[in-house]
């Protein structure tokens, strides 16, 4: 168990509606390294081992989502170790993956991409929890420059062979129209704790993780409720140990499905 998964509420899988199923599947398989677990004309499931982390739903009739509306900011795939992220970073450089950013967030190191239909993606590794700084139940986070050379060196000479066992969707970052109603929903309804306030954003977690969900207005200030069908985020699955299963929608119509965490 990691700090991301050792909590009452964690992220299961993320579902996206897409136009070009083949192109989006190829991106998450080749650039990200997820395994294709199931694929047919209507959709695909990608993940690690037997665990689905990403579900793609093909709908060529769906309208194309605007980058300024509510919905997905990024899906964040958490690798087990810094060395894993270092190996992926070397692979990304060699294959010219569509990287759009990188940052040292103090609690984690992260690299950002955009998939072929404009969905944001983060691939990251957590720093040891002993390095996290908490004050009054809030954790210090930043977006400092990433030491890419040190990160790549941490991977040694091992070749990237795909997303390793133990990888999960560590968090999901959402675009919303306003912060106050987002906090009212994700704290008051879903039951998460606020762990960080950042200009234009709030971060939430369960069980002391730095964040399982974040909401921001950086591109979507004033956004109205989402109109379906559209490409982009279809559903965020939340795994719960104590909360009852339920289907929810945040104030902008983003679907949050709470299910019981499978026993192993």
């Amino acid at each position: 168990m990691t700090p991301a998964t050792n909590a009452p509420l964690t992220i299961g899988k993320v579902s996206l509606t897409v136009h070009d199923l083949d192109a989006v599947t190829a991106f998450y398989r080749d650039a990200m390294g997820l395994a294709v677990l199931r694929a047919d004309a209507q959709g695909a499931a990608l993940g690690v081992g037997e665990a689905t982390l990403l579900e793609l739903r093909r709908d060529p009739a769906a309208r194309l989502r605007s980058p300024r509306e509510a919905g997905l900011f990024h899906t964040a795939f958490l690798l087990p170790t810094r060395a894993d992220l270092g190996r992926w970073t070397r692979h990304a450089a060699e294959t010219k993956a569509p990287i759009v950013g990188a940052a040292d967030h103090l609690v984690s190191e992260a690299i950002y991409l955009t998939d072929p239909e404009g969905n944001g993606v983060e691939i990251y590794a957590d720093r040891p929890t002993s390095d996290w700084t908490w004050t009054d139940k809030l954790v210090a986070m930043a977006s400092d420059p990433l030491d890419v050379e040190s990160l790549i060196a941490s991977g040694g000479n091992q070749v990237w062979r795909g997303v390793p066992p133990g990888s999960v969707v560590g968090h999901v970052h959402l675009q919303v129209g306003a912060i106050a109603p987002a906090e009212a929903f994700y704290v008051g309804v879903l039951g998460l704790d606020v762990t960080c306030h950042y200009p234009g954003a709030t971060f939430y977690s369960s069980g002391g993780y730095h964040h399982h969900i974040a909401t921001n207005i950086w591109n979507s200030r004033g956004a109205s409720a989402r109109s379906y069908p559209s490409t982009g985020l279809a559903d965020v699955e939340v795994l719960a140990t104590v909360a009852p299963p339920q289907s929810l929608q945040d104030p902008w119509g983003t679907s949050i499905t709470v299910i019981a965490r499978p026993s192993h």
Side-chain angles (χ1 to χ4, degrees):
M1 302 282 285
T2 71
T5 57
N6 188 23
L9 295 176
T10 61
I11 304 298
K13 68 174 184 285
V14 170
S15 298
L16 304 177
T17 299
V18 302
H19 281 167
D20 191 334
L21 179 62
D22 291 344
V24 179
T25 300
F27 168 84
Y28 287 100
R29 181 193 65 212
D30 300 337
M32 293 297 301
L34 293 172
V36 178
L37 307 180
R38 174 188 59 79
D40 56 31
Q42 302 306 312
L46 298 97
V48 181
E50 298 180 356
T52 298
L53 304 185
L54 183 72
E55 181 182 71
L56 304 177
R57 304 174 182 176
R58 178 178 177 269
D59 185 354
R63 68 174 182 85
L64 186 64
R65 171 183 170 261
S66 164
R68 302 193 65 81
E69 68 182 86
L72 185 68
F73 187 65
H74 62 239
T75 302
F77 297 94
L78 172 61
L79 304 185
T81 69
R82 187 173 194 252
D84 292 321
L85 184 60
R87 286 188 280 274
W88 178 86
T89 304
R90 183 190 299 275
H91 162 79
E94 292 173 347
T95 59
K96 297 181 172 56
I99 292 173
V100 296
D104 182 338
H105 293 306
L106 305 182
V107 295
S108 62
E109 294 173 288
I111 297 177
Y112 297 90
L113 307 91
T114 303
D115 80 11
E117 297 198 358
N119 298 296
V121 179
E122 175 182 342
I123 185 166
Y124 76 111
D126 280 331
R127 292 192 180 280
T129 56
S130 58
D131 292 346
W132 303 359
T133 300
W134 293 86
T135 304
D136 296 330
K137 299 183 179 180
L138 299 178
V139 68
M141 297 177 65
S143 289
D144 293 339
L146 181 65
D147 188 342
V148 177
E149 290 186 3
S150 170
L151 182 60
I152 290 176
S154 73
N157 296 320
Q158 295 185 41
V159 176
W160 173 254
R161 300 191 183 280
V163 173
S167 300
V168 297
V169 178
H171 67 267
V172 178
H173 200 142
L174 302 172
Q175 295 190 170
V176 297
I179 292 299
E183 290 188 2
F185 175 82
Y186 287 100
V187 175
V189 178
L190 195 56
L192 299 174
D193 301 314
V194 172
T195 55
C196 185
H197 291 289
Y198 202 77
T202 301
F203 297 77
Y204 318 84
S205 90
S206 173
Y209 190 52
H210 52 74
H211 68 296
H212 291 101
I213 289 178
T215 56
N216 77 63
I217 56 171
W218 300 329
N219 300 320
S220 55
R221 182 188 297 270
S224 57
R226 299 177 62 192
S227 173
Y228 294 99
S230 74
T231 61
L233 183 61
D235 183 71
V236 176
E237 181 185 78
V238 173
L239 307 179
T241 56
V242 294
Q246 55 189 317
S247 296
L248 304 170
Q249 285 191 343
D250 80 2
W252 298 272
T254 293
S255 175
I256 309 291
T257 301
V258 181
I259 66 169
R261 179 175 296 139
S263 58
H264 297 287

